[in-house]
Amino acid sequence: MTVAALVVSHNRCDLLRKCLSALLAQTRPLDEILVVDNDSSDGSVDMVRREFPSVTVVRSPTNIGGAGGFSLGVDTLLGHGHSFAWLMDDDAEPREDALEPLLSAMHATGDKPGFVASTVLAPDGTKIPSHIPLRIPVAENHGLPTPPDTYPAAHSTFVGVLINLETAGSTYLPIADFFIWWDDSEYTSRLQTLAGGLASTTSIVVHPDKPEWKDLGPRLRFDVRNRIWILKHRRLASARGRERAAEAFWTGIWSQAKNARRKDRFVRYLVQGLWEGVFTRPRPVLPARRTANDSPWTESGSRP
């Protein structure tokens, strides 16, 4: 049984350094740490090679977004033959004992859950609402037992979620075409549908509590388009995942209209998102299970 961490990064050199330091300090050592770099221009890759020589780096020649980075990373770790992958953003800082409760919950249920999610806290110790996994009845969770300090969860964000790579190998990768937003809840809700999901209350990952986006700007395109994609295509997400995508859809657009600093740009991004959501579709991709030597991407570093 091996476990790897997967960090997706883009131009956050200092934050990435803190994240990797926290990962290397885990009381249960990781068998591999993989950084997917989204074409950073701030020296992030050089920093990792210089300060963290044991960390594997996969570089994308272009910025493929968080969704593309996690898709590439999960595919890569499947090729490396690991049992579990611990996913997080480059601005996440897991506490030194954060991995152990996740693995304990996995093992207590016979390594069956599709994922076990961490509890995400702001630096001041408060919970971040957007990162709280939805609690569901045990009856919706494939009959999984609920170990102490966990609860059945419908989906999770990609901040500190441990995914079961055996389950991941049987479904589509995170949808790279999403680029950003909704890729995490869509993907983890699929894992939950296949094998159940849990959230741990004792695995703590610290993450900035970013203010609500009153004006999404160009991100509105991805928010609208990706929600529509989830609602249109039944092979994406679970019923709970679709409920989340539908939540406050039109009221959210109305709020954006009121708060947009540039109304002309709001209209442009809204129309673009609606058009792409209705008239285009994402391209779900199954894992390639390729080895490092087969990868079309450039790869550096060594695996323990």
Side-chain angles (χ1 to χ4, degrees):
M1 186 278 294
T2 59
V3 57
L6 167 58
V7 182
V8 176
S9 184
H10 175 67
N11 284 339
R12 284 176 170 173
C13 186
D14 292 338
L15 291 172
L16 178 60
R17 179 184 289 113
K18 292 180 181 180
C19 179
L20 294 178
S21 296
L23 290 172
L24 286 169
Q26 289 299 301
T27 53
R28 193 292 189 188
L30 288 149
D31 298 285
E32 180 179 7
I33 299 174
L34 172 67
V35 172
V36 173
D37 179 76
N38 262 335
D39 194 30
S40 293
S41 58
D42 66 346
S44 291
V45 172
D46 289 338
M47 181 276 294
V48 174
R49 289 173 173 164
R50 182 177 63 252
E51 300 180 23
F52 304 93
S54 65
V55 171
T56 307
V57 180
V58 174
R59 300 187 67 183
S60 169
T62 60
N63 182 3
I64 54 177
F70 283 112
S71 182
L72 172 58
V74 170
D75 201 15
T76 300
L77 292 178
L78 281 165
H80 291 177
H82 293 293
S83 307
F84 306 107
W86 196 19
L87 279 54
M88 63 188 65
D89 293 333
D90 53 8
D91 55 355
E93 285 190 68
R95 292 184 181 171
E96 64 179 11
D97 58 351
L99 179 57
E100 286 197 75
L102 303 178
L103 290 172
S104 295
M106 277 284 186
H107 298 334
T109 52
D111 293 342
K112 292 181 179 179
F115 71 85
V116 184
S118 296
T119 293
V120 182
L121 300 181
D124 64 3
T126 58
K127 290 185 178 180
I128 302 176
S130 60
H131 288 279
I132 299 175
L134 175 67
R135 184 187 294 264
I136 57 175
V138 174
E140 289 186 30
N141 211 32
H142 289 265
L144 281 176
T146 305
D149 302 316
T150 70
Y151 63 87
H155 41 66
S156 170
T157 67
F158 280 161
V159 179
V161 62
L162 184 74
I163 67 169
N164 188 326
L165 288 174
E166 181 177 358
T167 306
S170 66
T171 186
Y172 303 117
L173 295 165
I175 306 300
D177 284 344
F178 277 34
F179 192 76
I180 57 170
W181 291 29
W182 297 98
D183 52 309
D184 46 11
S185 61
E186 187 282 322
Y187 182 63
T188 54
S189 76
R190 274 191 281 125
L191 298 181
Q192 191 279 329
T193 299
L194 291 167
L198 296 170
S200 169
T201 60
T202 54
S203 171
I204 305 299
V205 175
V206 178
H207 188 264
D209 186 6
K210 300 174 183 178
E212 293 297 322
W213 292 94
K214 292 185 178 180
D215 181 8
L216 290 176
R219 296 173 178 85
L220 179 65
R221 167 198 173 192
F222 302 110
D223 178 58
V224 170
R225 182 196 65 186
N226 296 349
R227 287 189 191 221
I228 294 173
W229 277 350
I230 289 172
L231 295 171
K232 278 180 57 182
H233 303 293
R234 293 291 169 169
R235 58 183 172 174
L236 301 183
S238 65
R240 291 283 191 179
R242 288 189 290 275
E243 286 177 4
R244 184 170 187 270
E247 184 178 346
F249 181 85
W250 292 111
T251 56
I253 290 175
W254 176 242
S255 176
Q256 288 293 309
K258 291 189 295 183
N259 291 298
R261 290 182 292 272
R262 287 279 303 272
K263 305 302 183 184
D264 57 333
R265 291 185 178 181
F266 162 78
V267 172
R268 182 185 359 143
Y269 298 133
L270 174 61
V271 170
Q272 189 175 12
L274 290 170
W275 191 94
E276 291 178 346
V278 173
F279 295 107
T280 70
R281 64 175 60 196
R283 297 162 293 182
V285 176
L286 288 169
R289 293 189 178 277
R290 45 182 179 251
T291 65
N293 291 333
D294 296 328
S295 175
W297 310 90
T298 57
E299 186 163 354
S300 63
S302 59
R303 299 196 305 276

